[in-house]
Each structure stands twice: as C-alpha cells, then as structure tokens.
Amino acid sequence: EVQLLESGGGLVQPGGSLRLSCAASGFTFSSYAMSWVRQAPGKGLEWVSGISGSDGTIFYADSVKGRFTISRDNSKNTLYLQMSSLRGEDRAVYYCAKDRGGIVGLEFDHWGQGILVTVSP
Amino acid sequence: SYVLTQPPSVSVAPGMTAKITCGGNNIGSESVHWYQQKPGQAPVLVIYHDSNRPSGIPERFSGSYSGNTATLTISRVEAGDEADYYCQVWHTSGDHYVFGTGTKVTVL
C-alpha cells in the first residue's frame, strides 16, 4: 500500500524558513516523480514544485521560484521542500503527491494527508 | 499564465447527473485529470488522461471533451459524491501543472 507521510510543518515568522519532509513507502520511490501541492485555507489547489524520479529534473511554480527548493533522497525514500523567505500568502496545507510515472507531467495517483504551514509574526 | 475555469458550484438531486466543466485555451491539446476532495481530506484522482478511471473509482464517473472544454460527468449521483472537484493539466509550454478553480458539488 502506498503511503506518503508529511512532516515538518508549523508556525514560522515572515521571512523565516522551514523544511518539509515526505516519507514514502509501498512503492519504488526512485522510479516515480513527486510533487508538492498546497492549499490555502478555504482556497483551491496550487501546484508548488515537482521533481522527476531518477534524473532529478525540477520544476517550480512562479510563485515560489527562488524561495523554495525541492529535493529527494532516494536512499531514504524521502521528498523534501526547503522553504525560505516565507510570506503570509505561503500559509497553506502542503500535500506531497506521487506522479503515476517517472517524469513530472502526469497525474497524481496518491497524496499524503497534508501538513499545515502557518506564517505569522 | 494558463487558467482553467470551472463553475464555482453545481447542485444536483440524488440519482440525477452532474456535469462539471473545465475550460482553458486549447485545452484539447492537453491531457486533463480530475480530482475529488472531500472536506478535511486529501484529493483523490477520479479521472486521468481525459476519460480513464483509476481502479476503485465507480463507473458513474466519466470524462469527456468538446472544443475548449473538458467535462467530468457524475451519473446517478449519491450523497457521498458531495465534494469539491478540480481539473488539472500539465501545461507543456509553461512547464508547470495548472489546477482548475474548483467546483463544489452539492447533493440536494
């Protein structure tokens, strides 16, 4: 059974940093692309960043480019999102999502339960 | 930036058919996926590549295209189908995913 478990969320001040982790199990992690998707309170889904399975090709949404860094450790079956220069508009539930294939650009067939990031003084 | 437009809400009586549209420029050249999200839960994939159902998704859920609009159809609607629904594409010219604005389906 595929499981994705996010951790590392919490309260951070504007301008601060936070690193999210997503521990994956139940599938061959290195073979699949992964993404981060966020949802602000009461709002819709917004894709944040994605990384391919093996060659590490990375994509970012314009709203986070230069502030967030996605990475993965295939030996630890873990996806990361390093968030810096956080703003109030980054406040959201962040989901880890698994692509159906090895490259970014397919659909998300599994999602984590999400983790809340709050940016406030 | 690329935008996918959905109606904010759709209301439907139990047993009837709900249609949720997703409009975008030249959307026919993209592969459209649909997600269902119930309150407090993560999204669930219900249709991928325009009209394919993942295992475990009822046949009542179907996807189609017409012109610049993709449509998710839920036949014989049940109370348990009440949720928010989002369309999604990978916008190849921008190298990013785009989600639709979302549609809240209410079962009367």
Side-chain angles (χ1 to χ4, degrees), chain B residues 39-62:
Chain B
Q41 298 183 20
V44 172
L45 180 69
V46 293
I47 292 288
Y48 67 97
H49 286 223
D50 309 329
S51 58
N52 295 278
R53 271 187 319 276
S55 60
I57 300 301
E59 291 183 7
R60 301 184 297 103
F61 289 82
S62 62

Side-chain angles (χ1 to χ4, degrees), chain A residues 39 47 99 105-108 112, chain B residues 35 37 42-43 48-49 88 97:
Chain A
Q39 187 170 35
W47 173 76
D99 270 63
L106 300 179
E107 65 281 8
F108 301 140
Chain B
Y35 299 88
Q37 186 181 32
Y48 67 97
H49 286 223
Q88 179 208 30
Y97 283 108

